[in-house]
Amino acid sequence: MADHIVSSYDQELKLLMTKIAEMGGLAEGLVADSVTALTRMDIGLAQKVVLTDARLDRLQHEVEERAILLIARRQPMALDLREIMGALRISNDLERVGDLAKNIAKRVTAMHGNMVAKQLVIGVEHLSEIALEQLKAVLDAFTTRDDAVAMEVRKRDDEIDALYTSLFRELLTYMMEDPRNISSCTHLLFCAKNIERIGDHATNIAETVHFVVTGEQMIEERLKSDGSSMIGSIGAE
Amino acid sequence: MGRAIDLRTLAAMLVGVFGFFAVISPVPAWALIGGGLVILIGSALSPRALRADRRRSQPMSGPVVWPNPSMKAVAEALPDPCIMTDAQGIVRFVNDLAIQRFGLVSRGDPLNFKLRATALNDALERVVALDRAETAEWLEKIPTERWFEAHLAPIHFQPDPHATLRRPDFVIVVIEDLTERRRSERMRADFVANASHELRTPLASLTGFIETLQGPARNDAVAREKFLGIMMQQASRMKRLIDDLLSLSRIEMKAHMRPDAIVDVGELMWDVIDSLQPLANENAVELCAEIAEKPMPTMADRDELVQVFSNLIENAIKYGASGGKVDISAEADPQGGDQWLVSIRDYGPGIAEEHLPRLTERFYRADIVSSREKQGTGLGLAIVKHILTRHHARLQIESSLGAGATFSVRLESQSAIAHSPQINTPNGEQTRTHQSPAKIIRAR
Ligand SMILES: Nc1ncnc2c1ncn2[C@@H]1O[C@H](COP(=O)(O)OP(=O)(O)OP(=O)(O)O)[C@@H](O)[C@H]1O
Ligand SMILES: [Mg+2]
């Protein structure tokens, strides 16, 4: 909401949380739009995604500034400090989610309306549905401070990984079958990788929610079973 | 835009009727929450009360205004979800319909804690800044696609004679569900796209055979018989495809509505098993059913659940025929939770792990050759998934190559309603004496 004189500490904290919710809404919208742009080869929508992402970046800076000011001026303790730290971390993750959506949108523009096999696009869409479910669930968990839901999200990440692996193999098969498929399949492969990483950010947020609610850090490494180490390194755009 | 006008009239009405006696005293919100409007003011202003109530209501600035009872009554009478916020976007009132649709929206929290759609929150900001009505439209993809349109209007309690731009006291947000309308628009487009895409191949082959019969094979009786047979097969595949696409569209149309009939899972399973007995015999597959005898009520669309279990059992018979038998069980979920677990297990070739996550996608076939042979369209499991989503039920697939496959469905139980008298629980009588050609092993 518009800026105005804020007075109490609680008000400032709530305003910070409003900014996070705003970022969440934007990020969810960007992911949904970028995938719709991909499935319909809608260049106009893809361009809109690229433009809107800038807004997410600005919001992230604003969250950072507000959080730092809040810590400096109020010197919060325990739970309050955790909430601010949580907001900072989540805004980082959401900003990355926006970047990943933007990458997908850019790929759509680069594909020049060249559609790949329909089954593959359905697969990418399926992947994005799960990623969006995860993102929504974890953002809701943050506003309601629901640790159980957050932990559920963290568990479900395996589903995204399994689906990604399956898609990855199918894409490779297509490329080997017909070299003409290589260029468009590569684009799609990166899109899938980006969505898989959006899922990872949802998991990060889940861990942050856990930290905010319980005060415990999640140290145990999540096992990555996507079996596609090949693309793992180059997938980082 | 009929709605927007409605809303403006409503806003005007609210202001007109209640404006003059509205409570917009500079009484802080916590005093009002406390319940005793004026009486409490004195005590609430004490520093201790201030501290105690600090967390209960956190206005962004200035005095907080709460909708008075009459305003609430009007909002409650609306046929659509309605939320009122103050000029800072903090929720001050939510009607029952809004709670039903969007879950609990906490009063005192910013609107975007619950409704994050950017279009909606941007519109809210514009209403406050420009002091005029706005509309916003957005699509929610999760859990099923839903389209919404919100009409927002500013409300001032005291009309300002000097007409200087002033923040509204409230913003009233009325949300209309456009899902049905949008879906039927989309449905036609999707159907045409899918049908034309999927029918092209069988049609091309059909045309090919016709051309051959008209030309080179004109007088070849043997070839004619053979070709006509294949053409018949292709035609029936096309028919199935159209049927499946139609039923997928119909289910997608209803995806956002929760089914409300009470259905007994056990009785339903017996019906499905009976209807598939001929197919099982044809494929030399034995159906082994283990259905708990107690009533297993759930909220469902009966025909749709029949479709789910027919599809699953049909697949088990068709693809798992080499295993010679299919186990079908329905019982209270041993893992707990108030739900029923229905499992269908076959002993056929199974499905390679990499296919499992994708089986429910439209047109996905694990084994393209065998699916074509069996006249499969690759839509069966997509339909299953759509129906189950609408029923808030989950499908679990376990399989590995060479080890058969298990498809499990978890359906929420309606145990609370099960004991009510008007429930039409599938005549326990009939279930008990049911004579099915299937080999019956009963649990409990
Ligand atoms: N019990 C099973 N064992 C092995 N493979 C299976 C089994 N059930 C499904 N499949 C595989 O999953 C694919 C998708 O199944 P689905 O029911 O969606 O389509 P279909 O059977 O080909 O078509 P339809 O059901 O519309 O006739 C099948 O083509 C088959 O490869
Ligand atoms: Mg089938």
Side-chain angles (χ1 to χ4, degrees), chain A residues 11 14 55 126 166 170, chain B residues 59 109 122 194 354 358 361:
Chain A
Q11 288 163 11
K14 197 156 244 181
R55 191 170 154 193
H126 184 186
S166 166
E170 198 178 337
Chain B
D109 273 351
D122 286 355
N194 281 327
E354 71 258 26
R358 312 201 44 211
E361 291 169 14

Side-chain angles (χ1 to χ4, degrees), chain B residues 15 31 69 93 283 414 416:
Chain B
V15 175
F93 179 74
N283 286 273
Q414 276 296 325

Side-chain angles (χ1 to χ4, degrees), chain B residues 94-416:
Chain B
V94 188
N95 75 357
D96 276 346
L97 278 169
I99 292 174
Q100 273 172 37
R101 179 129 318 161
F102 301 108
L104 204 63
V105 185
S106 314
R107 282 153 225 206
D109 273 351
L111 179 69
N112 73 357
F113 273 21
K114 193 77 199 178
L115 295 168
R116 280 189 295 271
T118 306
L120 173 65
N121 288 287
D122 286 355
L124 180 57
E125 238 174 273
R126 286 198 307 273
V127 172
V128 174
L130 308 173
D131 197 21
R132 63 157 197 238
E134 291 276 344
T135 62
E137 199 182 317
W138 73 98
L139 164 67
E140 249 160 45
K141 281 202 155 177
I142 309 296
T144 53
E145 280 193 338
R146 300 186 76 157
W147 283 261
F148 294 106
E149 184 171 58
H151 305 276
L152 304 93
I155 293 182
H156 295 272
F157 275 137
Q158 287 161 331
D160 188 350
H162 309 297
T164 49
L165 195 67
R166 189 167 71 87
R167 281 171 171 284
D169 294 308
F170 289 106
V171 177
I172 177 167
V173 184
V174 178
I175 301 172
E176 194 185 352
D177 192 337
L178 298 183
T179 308
E180 224 126 307
R181 210 181 310 158
R182 285 294 136 81
R183 230 180 245 285
S184 53
E185 287 162 13
R186 261 277 294 284
M187 181 183 130
R188 254 170 283 140
D190 283 358
F191 179 78
V192 171
N194 281 327
S196 57
H197 183 267
E198 288 297 310
L199 289 175
R200 204 169 291 144
T201 325
L203 257 179
S205 106
L206 214 53
T207 322
F209 283 117
I210 293 173
E211 276 166 5
T212 321
L213 283 176
Q214 282 173 333
R218 185 191 292 272
N219 298 313
D220 183 340
V222 181
R224 188 164 59 222
E225 271 315 295
K226 195 176 153 212
F227 286 177
L228 282 174
I230 301 175
M231 287 164 72
M232 187 64 199
Q233 248 186 24
Q234 292 285 10
S236 69
R237 204 178 100 75
M238 283 162 69
K239 183 181 172 306
R240 284 197 48 177
L241 198 77
I242 293 178
D243 289 346
D244 280 357
L245 278 173
L246 275 177
S247 91
L248 195 58
S249 299
R250 269 197 298 271
I251 294 156
E252 280 179 352
M253 273 296 281
K254 293 187 285 188
H256 61 290
M257 291 181 283
R258 197 77 210 260
D260 57 1
I262 295 157
V263 172
D264 182 77
V265 177
E267 186 231 18
L268 178 122
M269 289 310 294
W270 284 122
D271 283 355
V272 175
I273 291 167
D274 283 349
S275 71
L276 285 173
Q277 198 58 53
L279 183 74
N281 294 341
E282 222 174 274
N283 286 273
V285 170
E286 188 184 7
L287 298 182
C288 305
E290 195 170 325
I291 312 289
E293 264 186 65
K294 61 174 182 183
M296 293 186 276
T298 185
M299 292 294 234
D301 178 320
R302 192 173 195 286
D303 292 345
E304 289 188 359
L305 279 197
V306 166
Q307 211 176 347
V308 164
F309 295 114
S310 304
N311 271 325
L312 293 180
I313 298 175
E314 196 189 301
N315 280 350
I317 296 172
K318 283 197 311 195
Y319 301 110
S322 61
K325 85 174 175 149
V326 170
D327 293 335
I328 301 159
S329 70
E331 58 183 343
D333 188 355
Q335 284 176 24
D338 203 2
Q339 52 192 3
W340 312 119
L341 172 66
V342 181
S343 303
I344 290 133
R345 169 153 188 31
D346 69 66
Y347 297 87
I351 306 158
E353 206 186 327
E354 71 258 26
H355 294 301
L356 292 183
R358 312 201 44 211
L359 278 187
T360 56
E361 291 169 14
R362 277 167 289 152
F363 307 117
Y364 193 87
R365 298 177 183 95
D367 180 343
I368 297 181
V369 182
S370 108
S371 168
R372 277 268 150 72
E373 256 167 38
K374 314 239 150 68
Q375 302 245 325
T377 61
L379 284 174
L381 290 176
I383 293 175
V384 165
K385 185 193 160 191
H386 266 92
I387 295 178
L388 291 182
T389 305
R390 165 157 131 81
H391 285 77
H392 293 218
R394 280 180 302 131
L395 174 71
Q396 189 187 348
I397 311 174
E398 290 155 290
S399 181
S400 52
L401 272 182
T406 307
F407 288 74
S408 322
V409 174
R410 288 189 165 78
L411 290 161
E412 276 171 27
S413 91
Q414 276 296 325
S415 51

Side-chain angles (χ1 to χ4, degrees), chain A residues 1-2 4-7 10-11 14-15 17-18 21-22 24-26 28 32 36 40 55 80 118-120 122-123 125-126 129 132-133 136 139-140 143 162-163 166-167 169-170, chain B residues 54-55 58-61 87-90 108-110 112-114 116-118 121-122 124-125 128 141-143 167 186 193-194 197-198 354-355 357-358 360-364 385:
Chain A
M1 284 279 93
H4 44 262
I5 319 114
V6 276
S7 44
D10 282 338
Q11 288 163 11
K14 197 156 244 181
L15 188 57
M17 296 308 161
T18 313
E22 191 180 341
L26 269 168
E28 284 173 302
T36 306
R40 306 227 178 105
R55 191 170 154 193
D80 286 346
K118 201 171 158 218
Q119 192 61 57
L120 291 171
I122 294 178
E125 204 180 359
H126 184 186
E129 273 162 25
L132 275 171
E133 274 170 28
K136 177 176 161 57
L139 288 171
D140 286 342
T143 36
L163 190 57
S166 166
L167 258 171
R169 290 190 199 192
E170 198 178 337
Chain B
R54 204 180 60 151
R55 288 207 166 258
Q58 293 134 333
M60 289 284 189
S61 78
Q88 280 78 46
I90 308 287
D109 273 351
N112 73 357
F113 273 21
K114 193 77 199 178
R116 280 189 295 271
T118 306
N121 288 287
D122 286 355
L124 180 57
E125 238 174 273
V128 174
K141 281 202 155 177
I142 309 296
R167 281 171 171 284
R186 261 277 294 284
N194 281 327
H197 183 267
E198 288 297 310
E354 71 258 26
H355 294 301
R358 312 201 44 211
T360 56
E361 291 169 14
R362 277 167 289 152
F363 307 117
Y364 193 87
K385 185 193 160 191

